[in-house]
Amino acid sequence: MSPAITVKTPRKLIMRLDTWLSQKREQHARGKGKTPTTVPFMSYGSTTWLRVLGRTLLLNSPYTQDAEQLLYNESLRGWRSFMSVAAANEKVKVVIEGKTIGIATSDHGGVLDATFQIELDPGWHTIEYITSTGNYSATRIYIVAPDKTIGIISDVDDTIINTVLPKPLVAAWNSFVLSEQARLAVPGMPVLLDHLKRAHPGMPVIYLSTGAWNAAPALSRFLKRHLYPEGPLLLTDWGPTPDRWFRSGKAHKRRELRRLAHEFPHIKWLLVGDDGQHDEPIYREFALEFPDHISAVAIRRLSTGEAILAGGRSKAGMQHTVNGVPWVYGRNGAELLKELRKLHML
């Protein structure tokens, strides 16, 4: 047997096992009377198209009982979100301002991610989701004006929230046990993003993380509680893939950055991250490939203790510019605010 076959076969078996377990859980949930419902996620678009995001889960009827618990119960422990049962291949009607714009189909993990062509005015709109069983949910979507030329893409873990997610044991505690009320905002970061938002009214703010979609409700509540600017979360679905034991968070970030560059060619993004192991090299790659799509890079420097828990620092080192793109560093939001003022971004 060749080495290539030896490597690939276990991964395929893991994928099959993962699919089989998901199907069994879904059959069991449907047998108990649970019905498909969309948990809606805030999303974004332009005046000619929109991207809709959500996750179809099997929940108790009526949906409102589970909706209140899943979306608004602030004492809810994180592990409950990871025990939810996905409704795979569920067809969901998408409605905006009373008009059905199309059907979105969830993937094997229940994730909805679809793009529709439609003309909309800039600003906030309400988008509705209706499943095959008639269950209804709604969220807001932000339409970016064509004259906006600056936006923010911010990492989440260790950048705006202290979760030290890269360390497996701490990550498990934060994600599955700890209430988001016990999580802390990185000092000064809510103020930094708020100042930027006020300096550039109407700018899009997008939170890009390697975290799982299961954590989206908790993260949304956290952002709201700590007064971070409203904006969509771009997360990923956990689990094996045909070529990896586990989904690549770095590949997810690279893919979404490139997508946003193509979707909004007129916007120059402020990239906000930390000097853990991933953000700096990913942002550097993006700056080398898309320098005209970046206004600046702002990197939060972790404390020695945070860096140890995060698995170390990036080997990139502090840099002033990459391919003409300015980089600034600070230990917290206040220091980054001072540095960005020097670049006349505030």
Side-chain angles (χ1 to χ4, degrees), residues 6 38 65 123 146 222 248 254 278 308 312 314-315 318 321 327:
T6 303
T38 302
Q65 294 179 356
F222 176 89
S248 169
R254 292 188 181 102
H278 304 310
I308 292 172
S314 164
K315 296 180 180 180
M318 295 181 69
T321 61
W327 287 54

Side-chain angles (χ1 to χ4, degrees), residues 10-11 23 54 72 125 134 165 202 219 233 240 242 253 255 268 274 287-288 291 305 319 328 341:
R11 290 175 182 159
Q23 290 174 344
Y72 305 112
H125 296 261
L165 194 60
L219 285 175
L233 288 161
K253 281 194 169 183
R255 182 173 58 251
K268 300 189 75 169
D274 62 79
L288 292 173
Q319 37 207 344
V328 298
R341 280 194 171 126

